[in-house]
Amino acid sequence: LATFTTESLTEEILRPKLQKALDEIRRLQALMTTWSEDSEISKINAAAGKSAVKVGPETFDVIQKSLWIGKESGGVFDITFEAMKGLWKFDEGAEDRIPSKEAIDEARKRIDYRQIKVDAKERTVKLDKAGMRMNLGGIAKGYAIDAAARVLRAEGLAGFFAQAGGDLYVAGT
């Protein structure tokens, strides 16, 4: 997050405003990350094939948008790709190996955004098959950056820059 100071918006005034935007990003991250077992997404993943999980409005909105994008893209965008987790290791403990065709084929059986059931009235989400997993990494950062931009605008900033891992929002000059 970045902005320019002005005579009326000094660094002392701006820092708390930027912190509010950062706090909003962190709040949304806590809901939608797969890096924490107590996030809403992790709870959905843990209940795969068993039960629906009630989620907050933001998580539900991002999942619904993801399902819409999945349909519009013919499944090219599919948040259930997380079923492939662990087959390849690119980050921590990177390995120079290719998973077996059998392992890939088995994981693919659990990738299908159409197997995500949502209930708008109850605001619940269920993964139909055991072993399915979802990950909102392809959409949640952009959603969080948009939310941070709303916070900054509400705080009176007209010109600012918000960026997270390639998702970018720029306002003003």
Side-chain angles (χ1 to χ4, degrees), residues 58-74:
E58 294 103 342
T59 301
F60 194 80
D61 186 40
V62 172
I63 290 170
Q64 284 193 304
K65 282 184 171 73
S66 298
L67 295 176
W68 173 79
I69 295 168
K71 183 178 179 184
E72 289 294 309
S73 70

Side-chain angles (χ1 to χ4, degrees), residues 110-167:
R110 296 184 305 273
I111 298 176
D112 186 351
Y113 72 95
R114 295 166 297 188
Q115 298 297 312
I116 300 172
K117 302 302 182 234
V118 293
D119 181 330
K121 184 177 177 188
E122 298 295 320
R123 211 173 56 234
T124 59
V125 181
K126 181 181 181 199
L127 297 173
D128 272 353
K129 295 179 184 177
M132 284 186 79
R133 295 178 53 83
M134 69 168 62
N135 184 314
L136 299 178
I139 188 171
K141 279 191 294 181
Y143 185 89
I145 289 301
D146 287 349
R150 285 191 298 276
V151 168
L152 294 173
R153 286 191 186 281
E155 289 292 316
L157 276 70
F160 56 85
F161 171 95
Q163 189 272 138
D167 293 278

Side-chain angles (χ1 to χ4, degrees), residues 28-89:
L28 293 169
Q29 177 187 8
L31 296 174
M32 299 182 207
T33 186
T34 57
W35 293 72
S36 169
E37 289 182 14
D38 62 345
S39 74
E40 291 180 340
I41 296 304
S42 291
K43 289 175 183 174
I44 294 166
N45 288 342
K50 301 174 202 162
S51 60
V53 175
K54 187 167 183 70
V55 298
E58 294 103 342
T59 301
F60 194 80
D61 186 40
V62 172
I63 290 170
Q64 284 193 304
K65 282 184 171 73
S66 298
L67 295 176
W68 173 79
I69 295 168
K71 183 178 179 184
E72 289 294 309
S73 70
V76 172
F77 184 88
D78 191 331
I79 59 175
T80 63
F81 74 90
E82 185 76 357
M84 291 283 186
K85 183 177 181 173
L87 290 181
W88 285 272
K89 293 186 180 179

